[in-house]
Amino acid sequence: MGGWINALVPRMANRLKPEIQFPTQEHIARLLGTLPDFPTAIGSIDMTIHEMRMPHTNEQTFYRYDKDTHLFNTLTLVDFTGSFLHVEPAFAGRMADRTAYQLSELYQYLDDANVDVLADRGFTGEDHCITPNEQQAASQMADRARQECVYHELHSVALCTYHLFRHRRAIHAGMILLSCQLFNFRKRVRLANALSRANEFVEMEDLVQ
């Protein structure tokens, strides 16, 4: 079974690549100002940990003593509607949030676009990361609550793929990315269908009148 999975996952992820791309300037303009308290923020970032089998190489870099297991991390950026804007899986489990962020493609994207993101205290002091303090805590709490369902779904996806595709860490990471792409695709299709039904309703009302 591993052979066709190894071939299928990258192909599907490549086909769905447009579903998760860092926003264009036009998209960024629509995202800015969504939260009045943070006018330069386009979304929220977080690191999500996923359990994995012991790797054959670099075992210590993935082992977390506090969790007593091997883990890898996924860095995600979501907008304030809960859609993924950027996903980078497969950072080593022992790597600090700040270190992973500094090494990520996302860091350069945010710097080039000169925009900010909301983040937890694990990103304190990092460029373009707005982290909690006493004045911001209340505003960020509401935003983080909106994002919680997205991260919960991402973690659930990770648990499923761990049991189904645990024989290869690379495919596991690929499945995380693919699942996030499918999440955005499903959400976009649902929105399009809802808009279509709303337009049909308006047209029917116009005919009745």
Side-chain angles (χ1 to χ4, degrees), residues 50 153-166 172 175-176 179:
H50 313 297
E153 179 150 347
L154 178 60
H155 182 63
S156 299
V157 166
L159 291 178
C160 293
T161 54
Y162 169 68
H163 292 297
L164 290 174
F165 305 100
R166 62 189 180 205
H172 188 173
M175 285 300 299
I176 294 295
S179 299

Side-chain angles (χ1 to χ4, degrees), residues 4 22 39 41-42 44 46 60 84 86 106 108 110 118-119 123 131 134 148 155 165 174 188 203 206:
W4 68 264
F22 190 81
I42 63 170
S44 179
D46 201 3
Q60 288 299 318
F84 291 101
H86 187 80
L106 179 60
Q108 190 61 52
L110 294 173
L118 302 188
F123 298 88
T131 53
E134 291 182 358
E148 185 176 342
H155 182 63
F165 305 100
R188 182 170 59 82
E203 291 175 359
D206 290 341

Side-chain angles (χ1 to χ4, degrees), residues 47 71 97 121:
M47 293 291 286
L71 303 166
D97 293 357
R121 288 180 174 84

Side-chain angles (χ1 to χ4, degrees), residues 21-190:
Q21 292 186 341
F22 190 81
T24 62
Q25 287 298 323
E26 292 76 14
H27 190 184
I28 288 174
R30 296 195 299 270
L31 294 171
L32 291 174
T34 303
L35 296 184
D37 291 340
F38 309 101
T40 62
I42 63 170
S44 179
I45 66 170
D46 201 3
M47 293 291 286
T48 303
I49 59 174
H50 313 297
E51 188 176 353
M52 60 181 287
R53 292 174 69 90
M54 185 177 72
H56 297 298
T57 59
N58 300 322
E59 182 264 341
Q60 288 299 318
T61 64
F62 291 90
Y63 186 78
R64 282 272 296 269
Y65 291 97
D66 59 328
K67 303 291 184 180
D68 193 26
T69 188
H70 294 85
L71 303 166
F72 75 88
N73 296 324
T74 298
L75 176 64
T76 59
L77 165 64
V78 296
D79 66 18
F80 299 118
T81 70
S83 295
F84 291 101
L85 298 177
H86 187 80
V87 177
E88 287 186 61
F91 288 101
R94 291 187 65 183
M95 187 176 292
D97 293 357
R98 294 177 59 182
T99 304
Y101 173 69
Q102 292 166 2
L103 296 174
S104 70
E105 294 180 353
L106 179 60
Y107 180 90
Q108 190 61 52
Y109 289 151
L110 294 173
D111 197 52
D112 290 343
N114 195 28
V115 293
D116 300 320
V117 293
L118 302 188
D120 62 27
R121 288 180 174 84
F123 298 88
T124 298
E126 292 303 315
D127 294 340
H128 305 292
C129 290
I130 304 173
T131 53
N133 57 36
E134 291 182 358
Q135 290 75 35
Q136 297 170 342
S139 296
Q140 281 205 301
M141 190 180 300
D143 170 63
R144 300 298 292 184
R146 284 196 291 270
Q147 309 311 318
E148 185 176 342
C149 61
V150 178
Y151 295 126
H152 176 73
E153 179 150 347
L154 178 60
H155 182 63
S156 299
V157 166
L159 291 178
C160 293
T161 54
Y162 169 68
H163 292 297
L164 290 174
F165 305 100
R166 62 189 180 205
H167 58 293
R168 279 193 60 183
R169 179 172 59 85
I171 289 299
H172 188 173
M175 285 300 299
I176 294 295
L177 176 59
L178 177 59
S179 299
C180 293
Q181 292 170 328
L182 289 170
F183 177 91
N184 274 12
F185 174 77
R186 183 179 63 179
K187 184 176 180 181
R188 182 170 59 82
V189 169
R190 284 178 174 176

